């Protein structure tokens, strides 16, 4: 039997999001049925729902920072039980057989992973995300939320947390490493907390100094404004690693100038525009311009356990369903401190 779920979603490129009713698939043998308690709002929800990354099908229920409680499990589920605290991030399936999946990097699945919303699922239906009361997901794509992390604060870890943890881990942020974080929004503030907890020396590169006090409280050692040209003169040749979390086009060449020899700028921001780079800025200093997408399932669990151990949680502002459209506008104007989280119990009344 399918389940009827209350949801909130987009019905066109430009109309405000509105209450919707959707169907969740019947519980399969390896499926977990989750009662969604909280869902974070990621800037990707907005890029995607507004067709900035390409045309999509409507209606679309966004949301890939899902935290909830297991309501039911299929007969072959072994990892989860009713009542467990669980999360779901940006993926709900992958081929499971390609070289990327075999390495536990399902996000780079060669035939393509199935994203939590807006993608064709195995059964031909289009996946719908976490701005909803319920979701049914294969157990292999469900994460355990450690008891130390509150459920509402856990939600943003499932995308903002893993998307910043993965490149910091891969490029070995740690003691003796200088890490720059460009943009202090949802992803950026998590990058600051995680890089600090890994032991790196952290510098925020925000457009202005308006969030400097917050940045330093979150763990930044230094804070500079990128609207001030002096920043680029002062910090030239400094960083081993720069994580760019900006949702819009920025001049990457200027940030390559901030790298030390062998340094890397990793792009996690996903603006629809191209980010051109002058080859000479890479050649002169053996520098790299790289990208990174979320993280694999095992790495996501590792990140959750790391956050529990280090006592790290996102800074959140909780909202009801009737606040989603305003929250989107506030994300677009960078008025977010530092992640909106929907209280999904309010969806049914919306
Ligand atoms: P967000 O909360 O809106 O943060 C983006 C930050 O970028 C803002 O806080 C702002 O920081 C800065 N910014 C915004 N507009 C700018 C502009 N025109 N010029 C310069 N800086 C600007 O967004 P988010 O949820 O963290 O997501 C950030 C980006 O990452 C989005 O493009 C999203 O789609 C992408 N993303 C990628 C992945 C992945 O797997 N790679 C996963 C999740 C999200 P300041 O105010 O400090 O300057
Ligand atoms: Zn996201």
């Amino acid at each position: 039997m399918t389940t009827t779920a209350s949801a909130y979603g987009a019905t066109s490129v430009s109309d405000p999001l509105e209450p919707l009713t959707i169907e969740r698939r019947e519980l399969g043998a390896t499926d977990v049925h989750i009662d969604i308690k909280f869902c974070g709002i990621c800037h990707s929800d907005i890029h995607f729902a507004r067709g900035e990354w390409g045309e999509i099908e409507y209606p679309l229920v966004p949301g890939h920072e899902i935290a909830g409680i297991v309501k039911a499990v299929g007969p072959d589920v072994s990892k989860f039980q009713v009542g467990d605290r669980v999360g779901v991030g940006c993926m709900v399936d992958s081929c499971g057989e390609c070289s990327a999946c075999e390495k536990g990097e399902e996000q780079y699945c060669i035939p393509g992973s199935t994203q939590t919303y807006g993608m064709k699922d195995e059964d031909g239906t289009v996946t719908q995300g976490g701005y909803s009361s319920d979701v049914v997901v294969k157990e292999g794509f469900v994460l355990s939320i450690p008891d130390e992390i509150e459920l509402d604060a856990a939600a943003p870890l499932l995308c903002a947390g893993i998307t910043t943890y993965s490149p910091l881990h891969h490029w070995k942020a740690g003691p003796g490493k200088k890490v720059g974080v460009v943009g202090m929004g949802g992803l950026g503030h998590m990058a600051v907390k995680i890089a600090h907890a890994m032991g790196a020396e952290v510098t925020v590169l925000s457009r202005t100094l308006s969030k400097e006090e917050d940045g330093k409280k979150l763990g930044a050692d230094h804070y500079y404004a990128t609207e001030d040209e002096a920043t680029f003169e002062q910090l030239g040749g400094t960083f081993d690693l720069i994580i760019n979390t900006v949702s819009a086009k920025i001049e990457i060449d200027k940030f390559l100038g901030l790298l030390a020899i062998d340094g890397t700028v990793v792009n996690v921001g996903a603006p629809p525009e191209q980010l051109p780079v002058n080859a000479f800025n890479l050649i002169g200093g053996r520098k790299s311009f790289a990208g990174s997408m979320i993280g694999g399932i095992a790495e996501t669990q590792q990140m959750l356990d790391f956050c529990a151990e280090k006592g790290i949680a996102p800074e959140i502002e909780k909202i009801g369903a009737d606040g989603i459209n305003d929250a989107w506008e506030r994300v677009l104007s960078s008025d977010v401190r530092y992640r909106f989280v929907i209280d999904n119990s309010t969806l049914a009344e919306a």
Side-chain angles (χ1 to χ4, degrees):
M1 216 174 51
T2 61
T3 307
T4 302
S6 313
Y8 220 79
T11 54
S12 79
V13 171
S14 52
D15 285 320
L17 275 66
E18 58 184 74
L20 299 168
T21 300
I22 59 172
E23 288 298 312
R24 292 304 191 180
R25 69 165 179 255
E26 190 174 332
L27 194 68
T30 59
D31 280 341
V32 177
H33 184 152
I34 303 166
D35 174 8
I36 305 179
K37 298 294 185 191
F38 300 100
C39 183
I41 293 181
C42 178
H43 204 121
S44 301
D45 299 347
I46 308 175
H47 289 306
F48 191 91
R50 297 202 168 164
E52 292 174 19
W53 292 340
E55 265 183 53
I56 65 158
E57 272 180 44
Y58 297 96
L60 185 269
V61 176
H64 57 207
E65 293 186 336
I66 298 171
I69 303 286
V70 175
K71 206 171 179 175
V73 293
D76 295 343
V77 168
S78 57
K79 267 168 54 191
F80 300 100
Q81 290 178 350
V82 172
D84 283 355
R85 305 163 85 244
V86 293
V88 176
C90 303
M91 294 179 287
V92 289
D93 206 359
S94 74
C95 84
E97 290 167 356
C98 72
S99 54
C101 287
E102 273 183 359
K103 276 195 287 185
E105 298 199 312
E106 301 87 355
Q107 76 277 32
Y108 303 126
C109 172
I110 292 163
S113 62
T114 306
Q115 307 279 292
T116 304
Y117 55 76
M119 285 193 73
K120 278 265 172 347
D121 213 344
E122 238 171 22
D123 61 3
T125 60
V126 174
T127 56
Q128 300 289 2
Y131 297 7
S132 66
S133 58
D134 299 74
V135 69
V136 176
V137 179
K138 280 192 181 171
E139 79 166 324
F141 289 81
V142 178
L143 286 308
S144 288
I145 296 177
D147 288 340
E148 295 85 345
I149 308 175
E150 296 293 332
L151 217 46
D152 50 5
L157 295 176
L158 278 308
C159 175
I162 184 59
T163 301
T164 50
Y165 177 89
S166 183
L168 287 165
H169 185 234
H170 183 83
W171 274 274
K172 302 187 169 51
K177 290 284 175 76
K178 292 190 166 132
V179 174
V181 175
V182 191
M184 209 175 78
L187 267 55
H189 96 289
M190 283 314 302
V192 171
K193 289 194 179 210
I194 294 170
H196 173 71
M198 288 175 171
E201 182 178 333
V202 184
T203 302
V204 174
L205 300 158
S206 178
R207 280 167 295 180
T208 68
L209 297 179
S210 65
K211 295 177 269 190
E212 181 174 8
E213 208 184 314
D214 288 354
K216 290 199 168 155
K217 264 192 223 146
L218 304 183
D221 300 284
H222 317 282
Y223 203 103
Y224 287 87
T226 54
E227 282 179 359
D228 182 355
E229 282 306 317
T231 292
F232 291 91
E233 286 158 30
Q234 241 175 302
L235 298 179
T238 299
F239 298 101
D240 301 298
L241 177 64
I242 294 177
I243 309 284
N244 173 30
T245 74
V246 174
S247 49
K249 180 177 179 172
I250 59 166
E251 281 181 73
I252 297 297
D253 282 313
K254 289 175 73 173
F255 293 88
L256 291 173
L258 301 184
L259 291 177
I261 296 169
D262 284 326
T264 304
V265 170
V266 182
N267 217 80
V268 294
E273 301 86 10
Q274 297 208 346
L275 296 173
V277 161
N278 181 332
F280 287 95
N281 291 331
L282 298 170
I283 295 169
R286 200 162 50 200
K287 296 173 180 175
S288 307
F289 179 41
S292 183
M293 189 173 128
I294 47 172
I297 295 299
E299 193 181 27
T300 305
Q301 191 62 56
Q302 187 185 98
M303 175 275 309
L304 288 164
D305 297 343
F306 174 86
C307 289
E309 184 200 319
K310 301 281 183 183
I312 299 176
E315 303 298 310
I316 61 169
E317 181 173 337
K318 245 186 289 184
I319 58 165
D322 57 0
I324 295 174
N325 285 306
D326 278 350
W328 275 32
E329 291 312 314
R330 286 183 54 197
V331 170
L332 289 170
S333 56
S334 301
D335 177 21
V336 48
R337 301 288 184 278
Y338 284 88
R339 201 57 145 184
F340 289 106
V341 171
I342 302 163
D343 174 351
N344 288 41
S345 69
T346 59
L347 287 165
E349 303 131 34

